[in-house]
Amino acid sequence: MILDILFPNRCISCNRITDADLIICNLCFEQIHFTHFEYCGENILKEKCKLLFPVENAFALMQFEQENLSRKIIHELKYRGREKTGKVVADWVTESLDFKEGKPDLLVTVPLHPKKQRERGYNQLHLFTNTLSEFYQIPYDHGLLKRNSYSKAQALKDKKHRLENQNTFSLDKNISNQHILLIDDVFTTGNTLASITWEILKEENNTVSVLVMAMDE
C-alpha cells in the first residue's frame, strides 16, 4: 500500500497514474490501432503467411506502425522488463478472438535462445500464452521448439539482415496429428514463423495457425 503511494503505476504512454493492473490509461487505450481481424476469416496476415507456408488461420491483435503505441507496448514487454505486459495484451486478445470451429489443439511459442532468455530474464511470450491457455482451455508447450542459434533482436537489425533468416529451429520432441497455434510477438517478414512451421509440418498430419500480438506492414 505504501509502495503504491510512493511509486504509483503510470501509463507507459502519457505517464498518468493508473490502476496497478494496467499498462496504459483509458485515454491512451483509444489510440491503439487494433486490427479487428477475424481469426477464421481472410485477412492481410493470413495472405502474407500463405505466401511463405501453409496456414489454417491467422490473427494479429494490433498494427505495429512506426512510432505508434503498439510498438511502445511491445518494446516495454521485450526490452524494459515489464513481463506483466504480456498478460494485459492477452486479456485484450480474449476480448476480440473467437476460435469458432478453428480452435487449435496446442499453443506453442517461438523460443528464445537460452542465452537470450537469461539476458532478458524471461520469454516475453510465456505469460501471454499462459493467460490465453487458461482462458480458452487449450494446453501449451513452451518446450516443443528449440532455437539453435543466438542472434541479436529483430528490432536491432536492419531490413536486409531481417530478411536473412539466420535463426534455425528444431523440434525438441515428436508431435503429430496436432493443430498447432504458433505464437509470436510481431510479424515482420514472416521468415521466423515460416522456418518453424516447415519444421512442424515435417511431422505427420500437423497443421499450423498463427497468432501475433502485432503485425508490421
Side-chain angles (χ1 to χ4, degrees), residues 25-115:
C25 67
N26 291 331
L27 290 175
C28 290
F29 182 80
E30 301 300 323
Q31 300 174 25
I32 300 175
H33 296 168
F34 291 105
T35 66
H36 305 291
F37 287 167
E38 289 189 12
Y39 170 79
C40 292
E42 297 298 317
N43 57 61
I44 297 172
L45 176 60
K46 185 175 180 180
E47 291 175 6
K48 288 179 177 289
C49 289
K50 286 166 69 174
L51 294 174
L52 300 170
F53 54 86
V55 65
E56 298 297 306
N57 300 294
F59 178 86
L61 178 68
M62 301 177 287
Q63 300 286 357
F64 196 68
E65 300 159 345
Q66 188 70 29
E67 303 301 326
N68 76 353
L69 188 50
S70 63
R71 184 178 292 265
K72 188 166 188 177
I73 290 167
I74 292 176
H75 282 195
E76 289 285 324
L77 170 63
K78 293 179 69 172
Y79 308 121
R80 302 202 176 184
R82 296 189 62 154
E83 185 179 11
K84 75 170 187 178
T85 301
K87 182 182 185 310
V88 176
V89 177
D91 289 339
W92 296 344
V93 170
T94 63
E95 294 172 1
S96 58
L97 172 58
D98 184 354
F99 287 116
K100 297 180 181 177
E101 70 276 8
K103 186 175 179 178
D105 301 309
L106 185 66
L107 308 182
V108 174
T109 51
V110 173
L112 293 176
H113 187 274
K115 180 181 177 183

Side-chain angles (χ1 to χ4, degrees), residues 1-10 17:
M1 190 70 166
I2 294 176
L3 289 177
D4 290 340
I5 295 173
L6 295 176
F7 304 101
N9 188 50
R10 294 183 178 274
I17 294 175

Side-chain angles (χ1 to χ4, degrees), residues 70-193:
S70 63
R71 184 178 292 265
K72 188 166 188 177
I73 290 167
I74 292 176
H75 282 195
E76 289 285 324
L77 170 63
K78 293 179 69 172
Y79 308 121
R80 302 202 176 184
R82 296 189 62 154
E83 185 179 11
K84 75 170 187 178
T85 301
K87 182 182 185 310
V88 176
V89 177
D91 289 339
W92 296 344
V93 170
T94 63
E95 294 172 1
S96 58
L97 172 58
D98 184 354
F99 287 116
K100 297 180 181 177
E101 70 276 8
K103 186 175 179 178
D105 301 309
L106 185 66
L107 308 182
V108 174
T109 51
V110 173
L112 293 176
H113 187 274
K115 180 181 177 183
K116 177 68 67 64
Q117 187 156 331
R118 287 194 299 270
E119 291 172 352
R120 186 169 294 167
Y122 58 92
N123 183 313
Q124 73 275 8
L125 299 174
H126 286 181
L127 183 56
F128 173 79
T129 301
N130 296 354
T131 305
L132 296 178
S133 172
E134 182 177 357
F135 181 86
Y136 291 109
Q137 294 297 292
I138 304 171
Y140 64 83
D141 188 343
H142 297 318
L144 177 64
L145 295 166
K146 178 181 178 182
R147 188 187 290 258
N148 300 316
S149 60
Y150 177 87
S151 65
K152 64 183 180 180
Q154 289 286 321
L156 301 179
K157 298 179 181 179
D158 58 32
K159 186 174 181 180
K160 177 177 181 293
H161 288 91
R162 286 201 303 267
L163 289 170
E164 297 172 357
N165 185 23
Q166 298 175 351
N167 299 323
T168 57
F169 301 89
S170 59
L171 293 179
D172 223 23
K173 59 188 78 171
N174 294 327
I175 188 168
S176 59
N177 300 299
Q178 294 287 293
H179 177 191
I180 292 172
L181 182 62
L182 185 57
I183 296 175
D184 203 0
D185 44 36
V186 180
F187 183 97
T188 50
T189 64
N191 288 346
T192 294
L193 294 178

